[in-house]
Amino acid sequence: EQICEHQNTIILLIQHLFFLLGYNKLLVVTVATKETDGYRRFLRTAKHFNYTVKVLGRGQKWKGGDYMSAPGGGQKVRLLNEGLKEMKDDHQIILFIDSYDVVFASGPKELLKKFQQAKHRVVFSSETLIWPDRHLEDKYPHVREGNRFLGSGGFIGYLPNIKELVANWTGDDGDSDQLFFTKIYTDQSKRKSINITLDNKCRLFQNLHGALDDVVLKFEDHQVRVRNVLYDTLPVIIHGNGPTKLQINYLGNYIPNTWTFESGCTVCREDLRSLSENEYPLVVIGIFIQQPTPFVTVFFERLLKLQYPKNKLKLFIFNKEAHHQRQVQSFLKDYGSLYEKVTVIEPEEEMDGACVFFFSDLCRRDQDCDYFFSLDIEVVLKNKDTLKILIEQNLPIVAPMITRAGRLWSNFWGALSGDGYYARSEDYVDIVQGRRVGVWNVPYVSNVYLVKAGLLQRELKDYELFSSSDPDMAFCHNIRNKGIFMYVTNMHTFGRILSTENYQTGHLHNDLWQIFENPVDWEERYIHENYTRIMKDKLIENPCPDVYWFPVFSSVACNHMIEEMEHYGKWSGGANDNRIHGGYENVPTIDIHMTQINFEKDWQKFLVEYVVPITEKMFPGYYTKAHFELAFVVRYKPDEQPSLRPHHDASTFTVNIALNQVGLDYQGGGCRFLRYDCSIQAPRKGWALLHPGRLTHYHEGLPTTAGVRYIAVSFVDP
């Protein structure tokens, strides 16, 4: 035994001399019967460090079982044994590793150096857990520090020793490779004969199963490494063995130098698909309306503006909500003919959560279909180039990152909890807030994503792909189980997603009531396009003393306010009524109060957000919370109430917004301030007059001589 050990030492010294002289060659050997996303990632990281890779079993049927949940993998040992027979260089070093769930974190030089420092001819990766036969635990040699158990997913050694290691394989393809190598290692005589050791402190190999709490990312000097904090080592090879596929996907977003703080994403511009004007791929867009949703009309307006040839788009609209039939039909009537094809599933047609499968199946069975673009109605796509950007990424499944305004909610998850639901990854907040920008491999996407048709046709044929009370959850679960990668990109700003909470459908224009739930979308829809330029471009006019005139409402807002009031229809008679405390109104008008349509809270929010800042700027030292007792829409008609006699308002200041256009909708009208003999006779639609209500600004409403004039009036701080 001593002679044998002495011979091994001599051989190691000779081999180390060859190593120093550069005679040895490192060859990476792996088994991959199928090209998966994980396999392509493995090759990319190998290429990054200039590893030479030999792939065994390509094109063969995998018979090694599903050894994520049960022992298997014997086919790998058989293929390795066969592949080694044609290799003759005894000084060659073989690195045999899995490929679907492995990434390299460093290059051959570091790997070989650490291998030589191990002072054994074969080094296996190590694990904290024993598998698949716990009864073999007592046969393992004890170690002072480090992992005690062998991991079969990675080992490195000299060719003759690796040949000896696998020479006696006689098992079936479905037998356990882990058990085979474990029995060799736990046999003391074989362990010494082949000269095997374990990489106990993860200097070469890091198996993630059972060690997730020991592993962190280390960012330093334009480099990203995985660090084992338990042993303070930097492993060269990272293996997402067992149930740690999502964790290796997460780490693969950063290593090897895929994303660094200094350079950002280093691979996001690789393997892009170029789009030429005459060769746009055909895309099937599945639009899903599954609940009452605000701003549906705006959704279709943005869809129309999508920068993509419409003759290369087929629309399939699944509308589960009768409330939205009017918007869908209006869009199709005006623009449906522009598209290659349009199909609509109406609310009365029965279809469950598998509607996503139904629409994706239309793409699957369409030989001309190149992509399926799933798009929920609550998605606000601000970027007109979204579809082109996603196609150019050339990924199997990719989603544009969208968020909810003012919140950390987004359409992707960075991690999963143990029961398969949302968990926050370490980088989630940085990605959502744009501090880390790139294309990210994630376990879950929803609401909007692009799928390659080839993937649907080859890999995703099952009806069960979407079958669940939550089709997105089912889809992503099945995608993960098939080893297909999903990505989300925040390389561009794409848009956001609406809140559908508290959306009421009892009004004509329900979007008017969205200032609290979706304030950004409300502003874009209803606030004048020049409002944000008021101060910068000095758009506030001063037509009369202490009277200020500025744009505040969009034309759509004006139209919706008028239509909402006319739809409600309960105009006052121009006399005193019980809507006012005490029943007395000094100068009654034909009007409808905001309280009558349950709009008072929304109206005050509007005043606080968009009128108060102007008030405080124009009247320095006056601060207000925009309290009001009276806010209403007034209607002037020649044969009803054409004008209003001189009066003071019951307010500290009054806001008067013109809701329609003089000369187009009516003739005459306007406001005259008697003290200054100053009139505003051509109020602009959407512009507000702001003036004091009492004492100094005694005023009258000038006669409307034709048509119908509407104004929205607020008596603020009575």
Side-chain angles (χ1 to χ4, degrees), residues 511-512 514-515 518-527:
D511 296 347
L512 282 169
Q514 286 294 299
I515 192 170
N518 293 290
V520 175
D521 299 87
W522 193 94
E523 177 177 311
E524 289 184 355
R525 186 66 165 162
Y526 292 129
I527 295 302

Side-chain angles (χ1 to χ4, degrees), residues 668-686:
C671 183
R672 176 172 174 260
F673 294 93
L674 278 69
R675 179 184 179 90
Y676 309 107
D677 191 23
C678 181
S679 298
I680 302 167
Q681 294 182 322
R684 300 166 191 161
K685 183 177 181 179

Side-chain angles (χ1 to χ4, degrees), residues 483-540:
I484 298 168
F485 290 170
M486 293 172 280
Y487 296 87
V488 65
T489 172
N490 65 340
M491 294 284 287
H492 302 79
T493 299
F494 294 101
R496 56 187 175 270
I497 189 163
L498 296 168
S499 169
T500 57
E501 299 174 11
N502 304 316
Y503 184 63
Q504 303 298 319
T505 59
H507 304 282
L508 178 65
H509 294 295
N510 299 283
D511 296 347
L512 282 169
W513 279 259
Q514 286 294 299
I515 192 170
F516 289 100
E517 290 294 339
N518 293 290
V520 175
D521 299 87
W522 193 94
E523 177 177 311
E524 289 184 355
R525 186 66 165 162
Y526 292 129
I527 295 302
H528 198 286
E529 61 182 355
N530 293 331
Y531 177 83
T532 56
R533 298 171 41 226
I534 283 177
M535 299 302 180
K536 178 183 176 183
D537 295 346
K538 299 179 180 179
L539 297 182
I540 300 177

